[in-house]
Amino acid sequence: MLSITLEQLDAVRDANERAEFAGLTARAERLEAETDALERELEDLCLQAFSTPLTEDDLAFHLMVFRSLTNLERVGDYAFNVARDLETFAPRTRSATLQDALPLVRLLTQMLERLSYAFAERDLHAARDVMRLDFEQVDALYEQMQRASLTRLLERPEDTDVALTAGRMARNLERLGDHLVNVAERLEHIILRAS
């Protein structure tokens, strides 16, 4: 599920770099459908595992995965929302208001990569990196973007729709980061428990 969200964010970055936004929503929607299907599949696998005898460590791992599925599904929803908003306002995305979202996209991509590594390698440092990046950088960029959008809104009231969309994109990205932190915290607990 993390790799699908990475692909969604890569699509957003790629569309922006090429300044070609047509089809971005459709691509993100296809990826979101993959996320939803994978969530159901993993949920079924966890439920099947719960019906078998499990060691305490295996049970803890399956519970962590099961509890994280909703977070990961929401991560995909937020990435889709950003892609949709970006395509909707494509003719005006070169405005500084919407460009403010791109540092958040890059940072969240880094967080997704660190979380994937932490999960695959049971790496405590990588899991904590995800939490640190959110606390130290995502929240600060989100606040900065909200202030910049408000300032631009006051200076250029004719750009109200763009400023509000940029604010919604920033909020979606900030929430995406929060859900990654939730998963990282559960993973941290599992790693510490096993050591």
Side-chain angles (χ1 to χ4, degrees):
M1 292 174 81
L2 293 172
S3 64
I4 295 171
T5 304
L6 269 171
E7 194 172 338
Q8 285 176 308
L9 292 180
D10 285 344
V12 166
R13 282 195 342 235
D14 183 55
N16 182 69
E17 288 170 5
R18 292 181 299 111
E20 293 177 22
F21 302 96
L24 181 59
T25 301
R27 181 175 177 196
E29 191 169 33
R30 282 190 303 275
L31 292 167
E32 176 56 20
E34 284 181 39
T35 298
D36 291 345
L38 188 55
E39 177 193 23
R40 287 187 297 275
E41 181 182 333
L42 290 171
E43 187 176 83
D44 288 345
L45 289 171
C46 285
L47 292 173
Q48 288 173 9
F50 293 146
S51 68
T52 65
L54 295 172
T55 67
E56 194 174 312
D57 287 343
D58 286 342
L59 178 60
F61 174 77
H62 282 84
L63 281 171
M64 184 271 302
V65 170
F66 189 76
R67 291 182 63 212
S68 297
L69 289 174
T70 301
N71 290 113
L72 295 174
E73 189 277 332
R74 291 299 297 148
V75 163
D77 290 345
Y78 289 123
F80 167 75
N81 291 340
V82 170
R84 183 194 59 219
D85 284 343
L86 194 57
E87 183 173 0
T88 300
F89 283 87
R92 299 167 72 183
T93 54
R94 287 296 169 203
S95 76
T97 305
L98 291 180
Q99 290 302 305
D100 286 346
L102 293 175
L104 273 171
V105 170
R106 284 189 287 275
L107 186 57
L108 290 166
T109 297
Q110 183 181 354
M111 288 172 64
L112 279 161
E113 290 168 348
R114 292 301 289 160
L115 185 57
S116 294
Y117 179 80
F119 191 82
E121 300 296 326
R122 304 295 188 269
D123 187 287
L124 183 61
H125 180 69
R128 287 179 173 165
D129 278 349
V130 172
M131 294 179 263
R132 181 187 53 76
L133 287 168
D134 184 71
F135 178 73
E136 291 177 1
Q137 295 182 41
V138 170
D139 292 344
L141 283 171
Y142 168 69
E143 291 299 326
Q144 176 185 331
M145 185 174 176
Q146 292 293 30
R147 283 191 305 276
S149 291
L150 182 58
T151 300
R152 287 189 195 104
L153 185 58
L154 293 171
E155 292 172 355
R156 298 184 52 138
E158 66 276 10
D159 281 345
T160 300
D161 55 343
V162 175
L164 292 175
T165 299
R168 184 174 57 234
M169 287 173 60
R171 180 68 180 147
N172 281 321
L173 291 167
E174 189 271 338
R175 290 297 299 142
L176 192 159
D178 289 345
H179 284 284
L180 294 177
V181 167
N182 291 344
V183 176
E185 288 172 345
R186 287 188 194 108
L187 185 56
E188 176 189 43
H189 177 73
I190 290 294
I191 294 168
L192 289 173
R193 188 178 184 286
S195 57

